[in-house]
Amino acid sequence: MSPEPRNADTATSSCSAEQRRASPVWHPYAHLKTQAPAPRVVGGEGPRFTLDSGESLLDATCSWWCMIHGYRHPRLVHAIQEQADTLCHVMLGGLTHDPADQLARELVRITPDGLNHVFYSDSGSVGMEVAMKMAVQYQYLRGQPEKHRMLSLMKAYHGDTAGCMAVCDPEEGMHSLFAGFLPQHYFAPAPTASFDADAASVQADLDALRAVLESHHHEVAALLMEPLLQAAGGLNMTSPAYLRGARELCEEFDVLLILDEVATGFGRTGRMFAAEHADITPDIMVLSKGLTGGYLGHAATLASDRVHDTFIGDSELHAFMHGPTFMGNPLACRVALESLAVFEEDDYLERIANLNRVLCEELVEDDNLHAHPAVADVRVLGATAAIEVHDADSLEGAADFARTQGVWLRSFGRWLYTMPAYITSPEDMRQITEAMKGWFR
Ligand SMILES: *Cc1c(COP(=O)(O)O)cnc(C)c1O
């Protein structure tokens, strides 16, 4: 995941010309004509991975934001090995197993109060598809079948499957060529108030949201959003006051609130979940990326009692008709349990706070960076930092430069950003911020 169509990879490769020509691998978000050959990764340790050339690179994006423990974490590796020795897979249709059951209990424990039911799937996109289907069926079962559309935000990114494409930003969201293929939903403007904005300053954003709800609520099943941080749509950050206001509007207009915490979940914004900053509980919440520490693909869609209990009924229309083959995969559930245990035992929230301090000092408080003519904005939230430039062209070559500094960066559009693994030391964090700033010197 992550839209990067405008800045094709320019990093040079360490694999031979023949290996390249021979490989049938079709890479994501790549222009087949201009793409540079992909560096070949042979292993990894902590925040770094190693190429076949022996080159070691500090991963500033922890592999699309999911490898929160870094590579080859002994406890996670061991958990997978142990589980593989016991039970690699069994279907969840009509059967259950301890890892699925225990993980569901843990997710209910750590997520905002009231999310008591867990539906598994195998990726963030599918987790969002599940959330949307659940919302539509919930409205149907309540006798409101006309409430079958979504309300999304501009700058949103919710995944690459068809249902998700339809709720990504329709122009910027890299799916515009599929417009004729996709169902139509409603969009409200992206929030503009910053993370620090108070209730008064988010009023204009909330008024814009209210206006769309006033016109279309009778058709809307759910409002969905990436809380506080619209990630792949341009690292747009907003205030907890916006979230609280959105929660209230959903109540007022009888619309469910779906929080897509696929990117923000598991500490990325400085709290375990972004919803905690606003002290709200969504009706449905989607988790993936950090869920398994990135070691296996999996997702969880959590639902409140209100949503879940609506599915208790006599007609066959009450069954939720969804069931990915690999839902609740024991290996994925087991490693997710271990990931959570490490997260809590090793106090990752403290580590994230330390990374946040470095990011603020080195980027937000760097006057030279702000003053650079190419730079439009510098912003930080939790363990996320973005340098936004005026013109995407000024990031052309930034990844190559970072690589000469021992850092793997992957900018997209007008954003040079880092979302490091939480085990990144302050020293390594500075190596990343130096590589980011160095590009502008
Ligand atoms: C990555 C992402 C998704 C999609 O997850 P996949 O596992 O790539 O399908 C959905 N929503 C958000 C906010 C994401 O960042």
Side-chain angles (χ1 to χ4, degrees), residues 1-2 29 64-65 122-128 157-161 164 226 229 231-232 260-264 286 288-289 298-299:
M1 84 50 12
S2 228
Y29 309 119
W64 276 339
W65 331 335
D122 36 26
S123 72
S125 300
V126 177
M128 281 302 295
Y157 175 83
H158 294 294
D160 287 352
T161 54
C164 291
E226 302 155 86
L229 172 65
D260 176 353
E261 293 236 20
V262 171
T264 53
V286 184
S288 186
K289 293 201 166 84
H298 223 62

Side-chain angles (χ1 to χ4, degrees), residues 90 136 243 256 280-281 324 395:
V90 69
V136 169
L243 269 189
L256 293 180
I280 60 159
T281 299
L395 293 179

Side-chain angles (χ1 to χ4, degrees), residues 211-368:
V212 183
L213 280 165
E214 271 172 357
S215 313
H216 302 293
H217 66 93
H218 51 282
E219 284 179 75
V220 173
L223 166 65
L224 44 96
M225 63 173 69
E226 302 155 86
L228 301 187
L229 172 65
Q230 293 185 297
L235 297 151
N236 186 37
M237 298 168 186
T238 194
S239 158
Y242 180 76
L243 269 189
R244 278 191 292 273
R247 174 72 273 186
E248 284 166 18
L249 286 171
C250 286
E251 290 308 317
E252 184 180 336
F253 288 100
D254 190 16
V255 159
L256 293 180
L257 177 64
I258 299 174
L259 291 188
D260 176 353
E261 293 236 20
V262 171
T264 53
F266 303 99
R268 190 51 69 185
T269 66
R271 305 285 293 267
M272 192 59 152
F273 299 105
E276 291 175 28
H277 289 275
D279 200 15
I280 60 159
T281 299
D283 301 290
I284 298 176
M285 179 159 143
V286 184
L287 305 174
S288 186
K289 293 201 166 84
L291 173 66
T292 62
Y295 281 51
L296 280 164
H298 223 62
T301 302
L302 284 93
S304 65
D305 291 342
R306 167 161 69 138
V307 171
H308 172 268
D309 293 354
T310 303
F311 286 74
I312 303 172
D314 299 322
S315 98
E316 61 194 34
L317 293 174
H318 281 85
F320 186 53
M321 299 306 282
H322 204 100
T325 305
F326 295 109
M327 73 181 290
N329 172 264
L331 291 167
C333 291
R334 180 67 188 82
V335 74
L337 280 164
E338 195 64 22
S339 170
L340 259 180
V342 173
F343 195 108
E344 291 183 336
E345 285 162 32
D346 293 358
D347 201 355
Y348 273 32
L349 290 177
E350 178 65 28
R351 287 170 183 254
I352 292 164
N354 292 336
L355 292 174
N356 178 264
R357 261 190 294 280
V358 177
L359 292 172
C360 288
E361 272 166 34
E362 298 293 332
L363 297 176
V364 177
E365 289 157 27
D366 185 317
D367 295 333
N368 292 330

Side-chain angles (χ1 to χ4, degrees), residues 113-192:
D113 277 350
L115 295 169
N116 294 327
H117 310 275
V118 180
F119 194 97
Y120 291 117
S121 60
D122 36 26
S123 72
S125 300
V126 177
M128 281 302 295
E129 299 274 354
V130 167
M132 290 188 277
K133 278 176 73 173
M134 224 177 237
V136 169
Q137 190 167 346
Y138 163 85
Q139 301 291 7
Y140 180 94
L141 292 173
R142 291 170 71 235
Q144 305 193 100
E146 67 288 352
K147 282 169 93 77
H148 58 243
R149 291 190 201 283
M150 298 294 135
L151 171 54
S152 184
L153 302 179
M154 302 299 280
K155 296 194 185 177
Y157 175 83
H158 294 294
D160 287 352
T161 54
C164 291
M165 286 198 292
V167 288
C168 290
D169 186 300
E171 286 129 44
E172 297 288 326
M174 70 180 161
H175 303 309
S176 57
L177 82 95
F178 294 100
F181 161 69
L182 299 176
Q184 297 298 302
H185 297 294
Y186 294 107
F187 285 84
T192 56

